[in-house]
Amino acid sequence: MAASKLPKDELLNHFGYRYKSMRTDKKTILLLTDFSYQAKGREYFREDVELSLFLRKFFKICICHINDVEKILDAVDAILLRNTGPQATHLSQLKALRERKNLCLFNDLLGKGDINGKHHLLELFESGFPVIPTFASKEKLKRYERYLLKPLDGADSHGVKIVTYAELLTASCQNLLIQPLLEFQYEVSFYFIGNEFHYALYAPNPERRWELNPYMASSKDIDFARKFIAWNTCKFGIQRVDACRL
């Protein structure tokens, strides 16, 4: 999304929690996010501002941090999970949301993807999907020049380390996934709403992951991405399948 043009003080004012009466003709949507969340190459809070301004044309909008979600649940009709960061920082809040059977969540929390951390990478590899080799220990590793160590409960490259084979041998890999660091031409992301493909974007320069351009996906590309959508158990919401062109 395009960056917001609002001055900083207006942005901060826009971020204030809305606890006014919700009884209007419009339904009320809660944007659950963290404006202070830092992600390399992206400014998520600006996306939140743009999204909230757009949705305000059709809905009443509330905005709050996931740590405060219990305070406002009874005042909203639906929840849009935005940029809440690594799930390890709010496990109890996610657990509480999963246990509330009457909530309308977007995305729902039934999926097997990274809303639950990085466990899906290991499951996909062990199930024979065309993914980067992924291991939970050093025992079955083949030798590569460099490796990625990814926290099981991580997100957005938080806590990811690049190590050599020699460094890996002495590294503690508890609660980490191990993947070889592979060279690739570019990375492409396929975006689905529910099970329906909508568009694809790619980063021509691997060193600039979030400088994205439109990607003209072939039917073969989309069929590839659909394998992962079919594997996932997310009933509704936005799903993104990332792939590397080797």
Side-chain angles (χ1 to χ4, degrees):
M1 290 188 174
S4 169
K5 301 299 184 182
L6 294 175
K8 181 178 178 181
D9 55 346
E10 290 187 41
L11 288 174
L12 293 175
N13 180 61
H14 183 83
F15 289 164
Y17 295 161
R18 275 70 171 180
Y19 287 107
K20 298 178 181 179
S21 172
M22 303 302 176
R23 296 190 176 279
T24 69
D25 293 333
K26 292 182 178 180
K27 295 290 186 180
T28 301
I29 292 181
L30 170 62
L31 265 62
L32 207 55
T33 193
D34 180 359
F35 296 121
S36 65
Y37 179 60
Q38 300 294 315
K40 184 179 179 180
R42 287 152 289 171
E43 293 185 316
Y44 280 155
F45 75 95
R46 294 190 181 275
E47 293 180 4
D48 292 328
V49 171
E50 292 286 337
L51 181 61
S52 66
L53 290 174
F54 175 77
L55 291 176
R56 196 174 297 280
K57 300 174 183 178
F58 312 99
F59 305 97
K60 292 284 290 183
I61 300 298
C62 298
I63 306 172
C64 83
H65 191 281
I66 193 168
N67 290 342
D68 300 315
V69 65
E70 290 288 343
K71 301 175 184 178
I72 198 170
L73 277 182
D74 294 333
V76 302
D77 299 296
I79 298 174
L80 177 58
L81 289 164
R82 281 287 296 157
N83 303 304
T84 55
Q87 50 95 32
T89 63
H90 45 263
L91 287 174
S92 61
Q93 289 86 350
L94 286 174
K95 183 175 183 290
L97 290 176
R98 285 188 175 96
E99 292 174 349
R100 291 281 293 261
K101 303 299 183 183
N102 60 332
L103 291 181
C104 179
L105 290 168
F106 191 96
N107 289 5
D108 71 60
L109 295 175
L110 299 176
K112 297 189 291 185
D114 57 7
I115 188 64
N116 300 308
K118 297 296 183 181
H119 301 76
H120 66 289
L121 299 175
L122 183 62
E123 180 181 340
L124 286 166
F125 176 64
E126 292 181 342
S127 299
F129 279 78
V131 297
I132 294 173
T134 305
F135 305 92
S137 70
K138 307 173 190 178
E139 297 174 2
K140 301 179 181 180
L141 280 177
K142 294 182 179 180
R143 182 159 183 165
Y144 292 87
E145 183 178 345
R146 293 186 296 170
Y147 299 84
L148 289 172
L149 301 183
K150 295 183 176 182
L152 274 168
D153 54 8
D156 288 317
S157 298
H158 278 255
V160 173
K161 295 180 180 179
I162 298 175
V163 298
T164 64
Y165 179 74
E167 291 169 333
L168 177 64
L169 293 179
T170 59
S172 172
C173 294
Q174 186 175 3
N175 296 321
L176 295 175
L177 291 178
I178 308 169
Q179 293 181 320
L181 182 60
L182 302 179
E183 297 291 334
F184 57 89
Q185 297 180 50
Y186 56 82
E187 190 167 354
V188 58
S189 296
F190 303 91
Y191 295 81
F192 291 75
I193 298 179
N195 296 322
E196 182 180 347
F197 172 74
H198 277 254
Y199 61 91
L201 299 173
Y202 83 118
N205 185 344
E207 300 298 322
R208 299 180 178 181
R209 171 65 180 95
W210 298 108
E211 291 186 13
L212 300 172
N213 293 330
Y215 178 83
M216 298 302 295
S218 68
S219 58
K220 186 177 180 180
D221 290 332
I222 298 170
D223 288 342
F224 168 87
R226 285 194 192 280
K227 295 178 182 178
F228 298 91
I229 299 299
W231 164 84
N232 198 7
T233 49
C234 181
K235 292 184 178 179
F236 53 86
I238 300 172
Q239 302 185 71
R240 191 185 85 206
V241 178
D242 295 336
C244 297
R245 182 76 71 188
L246 300 178

